[in-house]
Structure formats: C-alpha cells, structure tokens
Amino acid sequence: MAALAGASVARAQEPDATQRSAQEQDARKKLDAVRGQIKALTEQQQATAGERGEAARALREKELALAAVAKDVRAFDEKLAAQQARLDQLNRRRSELEGVLKSQREALAALLRSAYALGHDEELKLLLQQDDVATIARVLAYHRYFQRAQVGQIDKLIGDLKQLADLQESIKAATAELAATRDAQAVEAAKLETERAGRAALVDTIDAKLKDQGTRIAALGKDEAALSQLLERLRDVFADIPKQISGEEPFAATRGRLAWPLQGRVVTAFGAADESGRRSSGLLLAAKTGSAVHAISHGRVAFADWLRGYGLMIIVDHGDGYLSLYGCNETLLKDVGDWVNAGETIATSGASGGQKAPGLYFELRVKGQPTDPRGWLR
C-alpha cells in the first residue's frame, strides 16, 4: 500500500514538474522577445539624425569596446579573488594538518619508547612470572591494546601524510592557476589602459573638431527628448512588474531610506544648470573610474545600452511606475531582464557619453517624470 501511495504521489508530482518546465521555457521566450524589443528601440534611436553624426557614432563604438575590455578585467579580478581565497584555504588546511602530524609523531615516539623499554621478550617473561590465570589474561589484554595503539597510530600517520602530499599537489596546482590568471589579467589590464587612452584621444579629437561648446553639446549633449521617448516605449515592455514585487517593501514606502548608488560629491544637483545650461533632471556624482555602482532598490533591468549624452546607461524598473537611471558608466554588469537586489553592483562608473571627468549620472523617475533623488536617498 505504501509503495502504491508513493507511486501515486510521484505521478501527482509529474505534471507539476512538466508545468514548471513549460513555464520556464515560456519565461525565457518572453525575455528573449523583450530583449529583441529593447534592441530594436536602441537601433531606432541610433538611426536618428543625431546618432548618424560621425562624432557620436565613433564615440559609441569606442566606449562600447572599452566597456567590453573593462568587463573582462573585472571578471579576471573576481576570478583572482576566488582563486586566492581557495589558495589561502588550502594553506590554512596544510598548517592545521602539519600541526596534527606533529602531535601524531610525538605520540608515536612515546609508544616506541615504551616498546623499547619493555623489550622484545617482555610479554613472554611476564607470562612466565604469573601464576594467576586472571593476571595472565589481563597482561595479554594490555599487550594487545598496546600493539593495536601502535598500529593505529602508524596507520593514522600514514593516512595523514598521504593527505598532506595530496594537499601539497593541490596547492601547487592552485598556485600555477593563480599565476596564469594573473598573467591573463595583466594582459587585459594593459589592453584596458590602451582602450582608455584611445577613448581620451578620441574625445580630444572631437573637441578639436567641435570648436565651440554649443556645437559640442549639439553633437554629444543629452538628448532628453530621445530618453523620454525611450522611457515611454519601455513602459509596456515590462508590464509584468507588479505594483508591489512579491516579498519586497513597496518602493513608495522606502522614501528617505534608500542607499546612494555610490558615495561621491554632488557635482551637479537636481534642478541646477548642467553643461548645456539646461535644468538637470538628475544628479551628477563625482567618482573614480571603475567605482562600483549599486542598485538603489530591488527591481528588473529594463534597459542596458549606450545613449547619446548619457553614455552607457542602465535603467532599473522598480514597479508601480518607479524607474532609476544610471548613466556615464564605463561598463554595464547586468542585461535586460535581469532581476537585481538593493545594493547589488550593476555597473562601474566612468566618463562615457563624452564626459570629460569620471562620475555617475543618476536619475529617479516617477511615472515618467524626473524627481529629486535626494528626497529618496538617506
């Protein structure tokens, strides 16, 4: 009966597993479709008159190439950290094992000294000297125990010595792997510096061609109309974002308690005039190149690409019409459709979009309208 019941339960669970697999496949198809829509939107924006400009097109290509190398370098850094942690763990284990082996050697030495003191024929002498059968049995038991202790100590020592030898081989392999990763990372780091220098040279060339500030802004400045149009079209792309994401506090309830995307001096405040002389819709924060940029709250990535005037931009949808925008990044670490948690690293800061100094451009929008982030950040 129990077997039949178990089989019934298994059969009852089969449709659930099949249904779950179908749901996962459907979710992947929807996500692929969404990514296709986002790509199409981006390509449409790049096909506008402004995006066809030689300066913007060249800058986009250079900054995307730089972003790819920067992402590779970050991946190598993470790999190095993981390998170093593994090597440190192996070395700690070796130190512990060497301590155990030292104790075992000392214990075995004490047993051998005892055996030498007793002599080879001591067991026979003790037996011949005893008249009591119980005493004889006890003496034999003592000697068997002593012999087993010797054998046990020796076996344990041999086993731990083998373990130490295996550990030494693991450390050797981990050290070689770490050295290879360091070499590869050094190559990528040199490539990154070359890409950064190339990008700086390109910006200087563009500045030389666009001799006055007005011409430069026209070619590389923020295209707020294009951004607003993009946000409007993104509104329906992630319609599955609920008003309150399951298990998360409503975004509206987090006002005044959100962490900053990074720690940096406010270069341009919300509402202040930016380099174009227009009222800024967000904050420009000073930051070193490559600083980690964090999501301010849980949400889903709705956009991750290059926009004229904003550089490498990532937009996170927090549900109920709330969006956070992170621009001027050197590289993006998340893709469209990825879920992110509050505080999770989603990009690294830079100067993309034609900026001359590294930093982060940050916006917060409510139902498409920009709002001062400082009222939301703690």
Side-chain angles (χ1 to χ4, degrees):
M1 291 295 291
L4 289 173
S8 299
V9 171
R11 283 195 298 272
Q13 290 176 344
E14 285 175 3
D16 293 338
T18 303
Q19 185 179 13
R20 188 162 51 251
S21 176
Q23 289 174 346
E24 290 174 356
Q25 290 180 4
D26 185 52
R28 281 195 294 269
K29 288 179 181 177
K30 286 181 178 179
L31 182 55
D32 289 341
V34 165
R35 285 175 174 161
Q37 291 178 50
I38 302 298
K39 184 178 180 181
L41 289 176
T42 306
E43 289 174 350
Q44 287 173 16
Q45 289 211 327
Q46 292 165 10
T48 63
E51 285 297 306
R52 283 199 301 269
E54 180 184 349
R57 186 176 63 252
L59 185 62
R60 178 180 183 273
E61 291 175 357
K62 176 56 72 176
E63 289 182 344
L64 286 175
L66 172 59
V69 177
K71 193 171 184 179
D72 288 341
V73 170
R74 184 178 179 85
F76 274 115
D77 288 341
E78 291 174 353
K79 186 177 181 181
L80 275 173
Q83 289 178 345
Q84 186 63 59
R86 170 62 177 160
L87 183 58
D88 292 343
Q89 181 185 25
L90 290 171
N91 281 320
R92 284 194 298 272
R93 176 60 185 145
R94 178 176 63 182
S95 297
E96 293 169 0
L97 193 54
E98 286 175 344
V100 170
L101 285 169
K102 182 180 178 182
S103 299
Q104 287 179 352
R105 288 190 184 100
E106 291 173 353
L108 185 58
L111 281 173
L112 292 174
R113 284 195 297 271
S114 298
Y116 180 79
L118 286 173
H120 295 294
D121 301 323
E122 189 62 23
E123 183 177 1
L124 179 60
K125 293 176 183 177
L126 288 171
L127 289 173
L128 293 174
Q129 289 174 2
Q130 304 299 326
D131 296 326
D132 186 4
V133 175
T135 303
I136 293 173
R138 189 164 58 252
V139 168
L140 287 172
Y142 287 160
H143 273 268
R144 282 197 298 270
Y145 174 79
F146 183 76
Q147 289 167 355
R148 283 198 301 270
Q150 282 182 304
V151 172
Q153 287 284 357
I154 292 170
D155 288 344
K156 184 70 170 63
L157 182 60
I158 291 171
D160 285 344
L161 284 170
K162 183 180 184 304
Q163 187 178 352
L164 180 60
D166 293 341
L167 198 57
Q168 296 281 27
E169 286 300 315
S170 297
I171 290 173
K172 183 179 178 181
T175 302
E177 187 178 4
L178 184 64
T181 303
R182 279 182 178 150
D183 290 342
Q185 193 264 0
V187 171
E188 288 299 313
K191 190 187 298 183
L192 177 60
E193 290 308 312
T194 301
E195 290 291 343
R196 282 175 176 166
R199 186 254 174 206
L202 176 60
V203 171
D204 289 341
T205 301
I206 291 173
D207 286 344
K209 289 181 179 179
L210 308 177
K211 296 180 181 179
D212 61 84
Q213 180 73 352
T215 307
R216 188 181 193 279
I217 291 170
L220 300 177
K222 294 176 184 174
D223 192 340
E224 294 184 358
L227 176 60
S228 297
Q229 183 184 21
L230 173 65
L231 294 176
E232 182 66 28
R233 298 184 69 176
L234 285 175
R235 180 177 296 179
D236 298 327
V237 170
F238 280 113
D240 63 329
I241 298 282
K243 290 187 176 181
Q244 180 180 346
I245 296 170
S246 177
E248 295 291 329
E249 186 178 18
F251 189 88
T254 63
R255 189 182 184 98
R257 295 188 287 112
L258 296 170
W260 287 68
L262 58 71
Q263 294 300 316
R265 177 176 57 86
V266 176
V267 178
T268 304
F270 179 85
D274 60 17
E275 64 172 3
S276 68
R278 292 177 296 188
R279 181 175 177 270
S280 176
S281 297
L283 303 175
L284 181 61
L285 305 174
K288 292 181 179 178
T289 298
S291 299
V293 175
H294 307 284
I296 60 169
S297 183
H298 182 75
R300 196 170 198 178
V301 176
F303 181 83
D305 210 320
W306 193 94
L307 283 178
R308 186 166 69 89
Y310 298 92
L312 284 160
M313 167 84 84
I314 192 164
I315 300 175
V316 179
D317 188 339
H318 303 287
D320 203 21
Y322 291 95
L323 298 172
S324 55
L325 293 71
Y326 313 77
C328 302
N329 298 292
E330 182 174 67
T331 189
L332 306 178
L333 304 177
K334 299 295 179 181
D335 198 2
V336 171
D338 290 346
W339 288 94
V340 297
N341 295 315
E344 187 172 354
T345 302
I346 57 175
T348 60
S349 61
S352 61
Q355 301 297 315
K356 294 183 179 179
L360 172 71
Y361 178 75
F362 176 70
E363 270 192 35
L364 185 61
R365 297 212 172 201
V366 183
K367 296 185 177 4
Q369 297 302 311
T371 186
D372 190 347
R374 289 173 298 183
W376 291 80
L377 304 172
R378 63 173 179 255

